[in-house]
Amino acid sequence: MITSSSKVVVLGHASVGKSSLVLRFCKGQFFEYQEPTVGAAFLTKSIPFGNEEAKMEIWDTAGQERYHSLARMYYRGAYAAVIVYDITNKESFIKAKEWAKELHQQIPEEINIVLVGNKSDLESLRTVSFDEASDYAKSSGYIFLETSAKTGENVDDVFFSLAEKLPKTP
Ligand code: GDP
């Protein structure tokens, strides 16, 4: 299966679990201490696509402000963005909304967005309600999921939900 672009970029505040989500999905691994990403890195994964398979290129970006302009370089060629926040960190939710706004301002063409509330295993520490995030996503036209890179909950769904939106070459 040949697709024109299968690049997905993962954006969000530092420490929300971007690297952990990518690693969980692509390699089935999780580490309590995950090395911070410097700049950006990508992993590939074959995903079901109709009766065939497509290769998804998943770009993990660094959340630190000093790498912000680098992230911009990476989301340019992407057909989809996964914007991650941490359900125990309100500030990271505010940042997620800023990322979404920036994408709309910077990218002229339409981009598929999945909003992800990660660390759903830390329910007792939750500060961002499911309904608040879900309402925001719905009104913006984004797919919304809560995940745990630690337990693996919903992680595959994040990327599989984008498989059906893969751009096809004529
Ligand atoms: P990034 O900076 O957004 O890439 O975040 P990392 O993937 O480096 O994760 C930051 C920290 O959060 C690490 O200590 C991870 O082990 C931890 N972490 C990531 N995802 C989860 C999760 O779903 N649940 C819990 N409890 N911890 C997580």
Side-chain angles (χ1 to χ4, degrees), residues 13-21 30-37 60-61 63 118-122 147-151:
H13 201 40
S15 296
V16 295
K18 298 180 297 298
S19 300
S20 299
L21 281 168
F30 177 78
F31 299 104
E32 290 289 343
Y33 178 74
Q34 177 64 40
E35 289 281 336
T37 308
D60 177 20
T61 62
N118 189 42
K119 307 196 186 181
S120 62
D121 56 290
L122 300 178
T147 60
S148 168
K150 187 170 182 173
T151 67

mmCIF file of all heavy atoms in Angstrom, residues 13-21 30-37 60-61 63 118-122 147-151, ligand 1:
data_model
loop_
_atom_site.group_PDB
_atom_site.id
_atom_site.type_symbol
_atom_site.label_atom_id
_atom_site.label_comp_id
_atom_site.label_asym_id
_atom_site.label_seq_id
_atom_site.Cartn_x
_atom_site.Cartn_y
_atom_site.Cartn_z
ATOM 1 N N HIS A 13 2.986 19.296 26.141
ATOM 2 C CA HIS A 13 3.852 19.801 27.191
ATOM 3 C C HIS A 13 4.875 18.728 27.609
ATOM 4 O O HIS A 13 4.643 17.533 27.401
ATOM 5 C CB HIS A 13 2.946 20.144 28.381
ATOM 6 C CG HIS A 13 3.554 21.109 29.347
ATOM 7 N ND1 HIS A 13 4.290 22.189 28.954
ATOM 8 C CD2 HIS A 13 3.500 21.163 30.707
ATOM 9 C CE1 HIS A 13 4.671 22.857 30.025
ATOM 10 N NE2 HIS A 13 4.211 22.260 31.093
ATOM 11 N N ALA A 14 5.973 19.159 28.208
ATOM 12 C CA ALA A 14 6.998 18.221 28.680
ATOM 13 C C ALA A 14 6.418 17.284 29.741
ATOM 14 O O ALA A 14 5.592 17.688 30.556
ATOM 15 C CB ALA A 14 8.175 18.997 29.259
ATOM 16 N N SER A 15 6.826 16.046 29.700
ATOM 17 C CA SER A 15 6.505 15.024 30.720
ATOM 18 C C SER A 15 5.066 14.512 30.736
ATOM 19 O O SER A 15 4.665 13.849 31.695
ATOM 20 C CB SER A 15 6.844 15.536 32.136
ATOM 21 O OG SER A 15 8.219 15.747 32.219
ATOM 22 N N VAL A 16 4.293 14.826 29.719
ATOM 23 C CA VAL A 16 2.912 14.321 29.686
ATOM 24 C C VAL A 16 2.862 12.848 29.282
ATOM 25 O O VAL A 16 1.848 12.172 29.475
ATOM 26 C CB VAL A 16 2.006 15.157 28.752
ATOM 27 C CG1 VAL A 16 1.851 16.577 29.282
ATOM 28 C CG2 VAL A 16 2.524 15.167 27.320
ATOM 29 N N GLY A 17 3.977 12.378 28.665
ATOM 30 C CA GLY A 17 4.035 10.961 28.276
ATOM 31 C C GLY A 17 4.061 10.735 26.773
ATOM 32 O O GLY A 17 3.694 9.652 26.310
ATOM 33 N N LYS A 18 4.537 11.709 26.032
ATOM 34 C CA LYS A 18 4.579 11.574 24.561
ATOM 35 C C LYS A 18 5.482 10.406 24.142
ATOM 36 O O LYS A 18 5.076 9.535 23.379
ATOM 37 C CB LYS A 18 5.075 12.885 23.905
ATOM 38 C CG LYS A 18 4.165 14.074 24.159
ATOM 39 C CD LYS A 18 4.667 15.332 23.507
ATOM 40 C CE LYS A 18 6.007 15.813 24.038
ATOM 41 N NZ LYS A 18 5.975 16.155 25.479
ATOM 42 N N SER A 19 6.720 10.420 24.658
ATOM 43 C CA SER A 19 7.658 9.348 24.299
ATOM 44 C C SER A 19 7.123 7.997 24.754
ATOM 45 O O SER A 19 7.237 7.003 24.048
ATOM 46 C CB SER A 19 9.022 9.585 24.952
ATOM 47 O OG SER A 19 9.562 10.807 24.521
ATOM 48 N N SER A 20 6.516 7.993 25.939
ATOM 49 C CA SER A 20 5.996 6.734 26.490
ATOM 50 C C SER A 20 4.874 6.174 25.621
ATOM 51 O O SER A 20 4.788 4.963 25.418
ATOM 52 C CB SER A 20 5.484 6.957 27.915
ATOM 53 O OG SER A 20 6.534 7.400 28.744
ATOM 54 N N LEU A 21 4.010 7.045 25.113
ATOM 55 C CA LEU A 21 2.905 6.593 24.251
ATOM 56 C C LEU A 21 3.442 6.000 22.947
ATOM 57 O O LEU A 21 2.974 4.951 22.495
ATOM 58 C CB LEU A 21 1.976 7.767 23.918
ATOM 59 C CG LEU A 21 0.983 8.171 25.002
ATOM 60 C CD1 LEU A 21 0.344 9.516 24.647
ATOM 61 C CD2 LEU A 21 -0.098 7.112 25.179
ATOM 62 N N PHE A 30 7.281 0.124 28.284
ATOM 63 C CA PHE A 30 7.040 1.289 29.150
ATOM 64 C C PHE A 30 8.161 1.377 30.177
ATOM 65 O O PHE A 30 8.578 0.374 30.734
ATOM 66 C CB PHE A 30 5.701 1.178 29.880
ATOM 67 C CG PHE A 30 5.461 2.321 30.834
ATOM 68 C CD1 PHE A 30 5.049 3.571 30.362
ATOM 69 C CD2 PHE A 30 5.694 2.178 32.197
ATOM 70 C CE1 PHE A 30 4.863 4.642 31.234
ATOM 71 C CE2 PHE A 30 5.515 3.247 33.080
ATOM 72 C CZ PHE A 30 5.094 4.475 32.589
ATOM 73 N N PHE A 31 8.650 2.588 30.392
ATOM 74 C CA PHE A 31 9.689 2.794 31.411
ATOM 75 C C PHE A 31 9.248 3.863 32.401
ATOM 76 O O PHE A 31 8.759 4.907 32.003
ATOM 77 C CB PHE A 31 11.001 3.245 30.749
ATOM 78 C CG PHE A 31 11.540 2.229 29.780
ATOM 79 C CD1 PHE A 31 11.414 2.413 28.406
ATOM 80 C CD2 PHE A 31 12.156 1.070 30.233
ATOM 81 C CE1 PHE A 31 11.894 1.463 27.507
ATOM 82 C CE2 PHE A 31 12.635 0.112 29.347
ATOM 83 C CZ PHE A 31 12.511 0.310 27.978
ATOM 84 N N GLU A 32 9.450 3.587 33.704
ATOM 85 C CA GLU A 32 9.095 4.578 34.733
ATOM 86 C C GLU A 32 9.955 5.821 34.560
ATOM 87 O O GLU A 32 9.515 6.937 34.777
ATOM 88 C CB GLU A 32 9.295 4.005 36.145
ATOM 89 C CG GLU A 32 8.309 2.929 36.533
ATOM 90 C CD GLU A 32 6.886 3.447 36.783
ATOM 91 O OE1 GLU A 32 6.697 4.670 36.967
ATOM 92 O OE2 GLU A 32 5.966 2.609 36.789
ATOM 93 N N TYR A 33 11.227 5.603 34.161
ATOM 94 C CA TYR A 33 12.040 6.769 33.839
ATOM 95 C C TYR A 33 12.302 6.761 32.343
ATOM 96 O O TYR A 33 12.955 5.863 31.813
ATOM 97 C CB TYR A 33 13.377 6.804 34.600
ATOM 98 C CG TYR A 33 14.168 8.017 34.162
ATOM 99 C CD1 TYR A 33 13.806 9.297 34.593
ATOM 100 C CD2 TYR A 33 15.191 7.906 33.230
ATOM 101 C CE1 TYR A 33 14.459 10.421 34.131
ATOM 102 C CE2 TYR A 33 15.850 9.035 32.763
ATOM 103 C CZ TYR A 33 15.484 10.284 33.220
ATOM 104 O OH TYR A 33 16.110 11.406 32.746
ATOM 105 N N GLN A 34 11.735 7.729 31.667
ATOM 106 C CA GLN A 34 11.870 7.812 30.222
ATOM 107 C C GLN A 34 12.799 8.986 29.910
ATOM 108 O O GLN A 34 12.559 10.107 30.335
ATOM 109 C CB GLN A 34 10.467 8.030 29.625
ATOM 110 C CG GLN A 34 10.429 8.212 28.127
ATOM 111 C CD GLN A 34 10.891 6.971 27.376
ATOM 112 O OE1 GLN A 34 10.573 5.854 27.745
ATOM 113 N NE2 GLN A 34 11.671 7.184 26.350
ATOM 114 N N GLU A 35 13.886 8.723 29.185
ATOM 115 C CA GLU A 35 14.832 9.792 28.813
ATOM 116 C C GLU A 35 14.110 10.899 28.056
ATOM 117 O O GLU A 35 13.357 10.611 27.135
ATOM 118 C CB GLU A 35 15.909 9.229 27.872
ATOM 119 C CG GLU A 35 16.899 8.286 28.521
ATOM 120 C CD GLU A 35 17.981 9.007 29.304
ATOM 121 O OE1 GLU A 35 18.253 10.174 28.999
ATOM 122 O OE2 GLU A 35 18.524 8.386 30.236
ATOM 123 N N PRO A 36 14.347 12.169 28.414
ATOM 124 C CA PRO A 36 13.696 13.242 27.657
ATOM 125 C C PRO A 36 14.134 13.227 26.187
ATOM 126 O O PRO A 36 15.286 12.913 25.883
ATOM 127 C CB PRO A 36 14.203 14.521 28.335
ATOM 128 C CG PRO A 36 14.708 14.093 29.666
ATOM 129 C CD PRO A 36 15.155 12.669 29.512
ATOM 130 N N THR A 37 13.181 13.531 25.306
ATOM 131 C CA THR A 37 13.493 13.582 23.879
ATOM 132 C C THR A 37 14.206 14.891 23.573
ATOM 133 O O THR A 37 13.807 15.940 24.055
ATOM 134 C CB THR A 37 12.182 13.540 23.058
ATOM 135 O OG1 THR A 37 11.433 12.433 23.508
ATOM 136 C CG2 THR A 37 12.457 13.434 21.567
ATOM 137 N N ASP A 60 7.999 11.904 17.520
ATOM 138 C CA ASP A 60 7.906 12.293 18.920
ATOM 139 C C ASP A 60 8.718 13.579 19.068
ATOM 140 O O ASP A 60 9.892 13.608 18.706
ATOM 141 C CB ASP A 60 8.536 11.151 19.739
ATOM 142 C CG ASP A 60 8.579 11.443 21.215
ATOM 143 O OD1 ASP A 60 7.820 12.305 21.668
ATOM 144 O OD2 ASP A 60 9.376 10.777 21.898
ATOM 145 N N THR A 61 8.092 14.621 19.564
ATOM 146 C CA THR A 61 8.817 15.898 19.685
ATOM 147 C C THR A 61 9.102 16.201 21.150
ATOM 148 O O THR A 61 8.429 15.702 22.040
ATOM 149 C CB THR A 61 7.993 17.064 19.101
ATOM 150 O OG1 THR A 61 6.779 17.175 19.853
ATOM 151 C CG2 THR A 61 7.673 16.827 17.639
ATOM 152 N N GLY A 63 8.959 18.459 24.459
ATOM 153 C CA GLY A 63 7.955 19.414 24.930
ATOM 154 C C GLY A 63 8.523 20.741 25.391
ATOM 155 O O GLY A 63 7.798 21.713 25.546
ATOM 156 N N ASN A 118 -3.463 11.613 28.793
ATOM 157 C CA ASN A 118 -2.662 10.446 29.206
ATOM 158 C C ASN A 118 -2.577 10.329 30.736
ATOM 159 O O ASN A 118 -2.928 11.254 31.453
ATOM 160 C CB ASN A 118 -1.267 10.554 28.577
ATOM 161 C CG ASN A 118 -0.445 9.296 28.768
ATOM 162 O OD1 ASN A 118 -0.952 8.188 28.637
ATOM 163 N ND2 ASN A 118 0.831 9.459 29.103
ATOM 164 N N LYS A 119 -2.085 9.213 31.199
ATOM 165 C CA LYS A 119 -1.910 8.863 32.618
ATOM 166 C C LYS A 119 -3.257 8.580 33.283
ATOM 167 O O LYS A 119 -3.485 8.934 34.441
ATOM 168 C CB LYS A 119 -1.101 9.931 33.379
ATOM 169 C CG LYS A 119 0.234 10.270 32.713
ATOM 170 C CD LYS A 119 1.216 11.003 33.608
ATOM 171 C CE LYS A 119 2.458 11.425 32.827
ATOM 172 N NZ LYS A 119 3.468 12.112 33.621
ATOM 173 N N SER A 120 -4.158 7.932 32.539
ATOM 174 C CA SER A 120 -5.480 7.615 33.085
ATOM 175 C C SER A 120 -5.396 6.624 34.254
ATOM 176 O O SER A 120 -6.353 6.470 35.003
ATOM 177 C CB SER A 120 -6.391 7.053 31.986
ATOM 178 O OG SER A 120 -5.860 5.847 31.474
ATOM 179 N N ASP A 121 -4.247 5.985 34.430
ATOM 180 C CA ASP A 121 -4.077 5.090 35.590
ATOM 181 C C ASP A 121 -3.961 5.876 36.891
ATOM 182 O O ASP A 121 -4.134 5.317 37.963
ATOM 183 C CB ASP A 121 -2.826 4.207 35.387
ATOM 184 C CG ASP A 121 -1.569 5.021 35.144
ATOM 185 O OD1 ASP A 121 -1.455 5.642 34.068
ATOM 186 O OD2 ASP A 121 -0.700 5.071 36.026
ATOM 187 N N LEU A 122 -3.681 7.198 36.786
ATOM 188 C CA LEU A 122 -3.528 8.028 37.994
ATOM 189 C C LEU A 122 -4.843 8.749 38.321
ATOM 190 O O LEU A 122 -4.860 9.964 38.555
ATOM 191 C CB LEU A 122 -2.385 9.041 37.803
ATOM 192 C CG LEU A 122 -1.000 8.443 37.535
ATOM 193 C CD1 LEU A 122 0.030 9.558 37.312
ATOM 194 C CD2 LEU A 122 -0.563 7.553 38.703
ATOM 195 N N THR A 147 -5.827 7.824 27.809
ATOM 196 C CA THR A 147 -4.942 6.668 27.670
ATOM 197 C C THR A 147 -4.058 6.489 28.904
ATOM 198 O O THR A 147 -3.902 7.406 29.712
ATOM 199 C CB THR A 147 -3.958 6.863 26.487
ATOM 200 O OG1 THR A 147 -3.172 8.030 26.754
ATOM 201 C CG2 THR A 147 -4.668 7.031 25.170
ATOM 202 N N SER A 148 -3.452 5.322 28.964
ATOM 203 C CA SER A 148 -2.357 5.121 29.911
ATOM 204 C C SER A 148 -1.234 4.410 29.162
ATOM 205 O O SER A 148 -1.402 3.262 28.750
ATOM 206 C CB SER A 148 -2.794 4.274 31.106
ATOM 207 O OG SER A 148 -1.632 3.888 31.845
ATOM 208 N N ALA A 149 -0.122 5.099 29.011
ATOM 209 C CA ALA A 149 1.036 4.445 28.385
ATOM 210 C C ALA A 149 1.565 3.379 29.336
ATOM 211 O O ALA A 149 2.208 2.423 28.916
ATOM 212 C CB ALA A 149 2.122 5.475 28.090
ATOM 213 N N LYS A 150 1.242 3.544 30.626
ATOM 214 C CA LYS A 150 1.739 2.584 31.626
ATOM 215 C C LYS A 150 1.010 1.240 31.501
ATOM 216 O O LYS A 150 1.660 0.193 31.434
ATOM 217 C CB LYS A 150 1.554 3.164 33.032
ATOM 218 C CG LYS A 150 2.173 2.324 34.107
ATOM 219 C CD LYS A 150 2.185 3.057 35.429
ATOM 220 C CE LYS A 150 2.871 2.214 36.489
ATOM 221 N NZ LYS A 150 3.043 2.955 37.737
ATOM 222 N N THR A 151 -0.319 1.268 31.461
ATOM 223 C CA THR A 151 -1.076 0.003 31.368
ATOM 224 C C THR A 151 -1.354 -0.384 29.917
ATOM 225 O O THR A 151 -1.721 -1.518 29.639
ATOM 226 C CB THR A 151 -2.439 0.127 32.078
ATOM 227 O OG1 THR A 151 -3.255 1.057 31.343
ATOM 228 C CG2 THR A 151 -2.290 0.613 33.509
HETATM 229 P P1 GDP B 1 7.278 13.321 27.413
HETATM 230 O O1 GDP B 1 8.249 14.350 27.941
HETATM 231 O O2 GDP B 1 5.937 13.940 27.129
HETATM 232 O O3 GDP B 1 7.801 12.531 26.256
HETATM 233 O O4 GDP B 1 6.971 12.304 28.611
HETATM 234 P P2 GDP B 1 7.689 10.899 28.942
HETATM 235 O O5 GDP B 1 7.209 9.846 28.010
HETATM 236 O O6 GDP B 1 9.166 11.137 29.044
HETATM 237 O O7 GDP B 1 7.057 10.576 30.376
HETATM 238 C C1 GDP B 1 7.300 11.419 31.500
HETATM 239 C C2 GDP B 1 7.142 10.609 32.772
HETATM 240 O O8 GDP B 1 5.773 10.181 32.910
HETATM 241 C C3 GDP B 1 7.982 9.326 32.807
HETATM 242 O O9 GDP B 1 8.461 9.155 34.128
HETATM 243 C C4 GDP B 1 7.007 8.230 32.430
HETATM 244 O O10 GDP B 1 7.355 6.980 32.990
HETATM 245 C C5 GDP B 1 5.702 8.764 33.036
HETATM 246 N N1 GDP B 1 4.503 8.329 32.309
HETATM 247 C C6 GDP B 1 4.265 8.407 30.981
HETATM 248 N N2 GDP B 1 3.064 7.921 30.655
HETATM 249 C C7 GDP B 1 2.491 7.527 31.826
HETATM 250 C C8 GDP B 1 1.226 6.945 32.175
HETATM 251 O O11 GDP B 1 0.348 6.681 31.345
HETATM 252 N N3 GDP B 1 1.010 6.708 33.514
HETATM 253 C C9 GDP B 1 1.940 6.992 34.470
HETATM 254 N N4 GDP B 1 1.630 6.706 35.736
HETATM 255 N N5 GDP B 1 3.145 7.548 34.177
HETATM 256 C C10 GDP B 1 3.405 7.801 32.885
#
